[in-house]
């Protein structure tokens, strides 16, 4: 059985944007863990799936980078922590 390539990302981690970037480019599923009410504004284009056409490529802007978007297998999900 193949090991899952799911990337679990904590929004407070230093390498959050890099992990999401790798998911976009290489088509890896990403789980945003412990999401609060407000998100980093850099994630807006990812969550809105704001794709741009550059030549014959589809790109997604993440921060100041334009990334080739792997539409075949990239997925992003979010989970919230529940505080009582």
């Amino acid at each position: 059985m193949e090991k899952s390539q799911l990337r679990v990302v904590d929004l407070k981690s230093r390498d959050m944007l890099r992990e999401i970037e790798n998911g976009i480019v290489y088509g890896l599923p990403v789980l945003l863990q412990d999401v609060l009410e407000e998100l980093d504004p850099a994630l807006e284009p990812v969550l809105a799936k704001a794709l741009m056409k550059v030549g014959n490529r589809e790109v997604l802007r993440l921060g100041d980078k334009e990334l080739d978007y792997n539409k075949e297998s990239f997925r992003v999900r979010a989970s919230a922590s529940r505080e009582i």
Side-chain angles (χ1 to χ4, degrees):
M1 179 184 267
E2 235 180 83
K3 182 180 176 187
S4 173
Q5 294 183 335
L6 176 67
R7 301 290 188 229
V8 179
V9 178
D10 188 336
L11 295 180
K12 297 174 187 165
S13 68
R14 292 182 313 176
D15 60 345
M16 171 196 68
L17 288 178
R18 185 171 40 94
E19 287 287 340
I20 296 170
E21 178 182 328
N22 288 338
I24 292 168
V25 173
Y26 299 113
L28 303 172
V30 174
L31 173 65
L32 303 176
Q33 181 175 287
D34 297 333
V35 173
L36 302 174
E37 286 184 36
E38 293 186 26
L39 292 172
D40 186 332
L43 296 177
E44 176 89 20
V46 176
L47 299 175
K49 204 172 182 182
L51 298 174
M52 299 180 296
K53 200 80 159 150
V54 177
N56 62 351
R57 305 175 348 189
E58 282 188 307
V59 297
L60 187 67
R61 192 165 192 74
L62 181 64
D64 60 348
K65 295 181 181 177
E66 287 184 353
L67 306 170
D68 288 325
Y69 181 72
N70 186 324
K71 66 181 176 184
E72 300 300 320
S73 56
F74 172 69
R75 301 288 181 262
V76 63
R77 301 287 185 256
S79 71
S81 64
R82 187 173 161 199
E83 294 184 22
I84 299 176

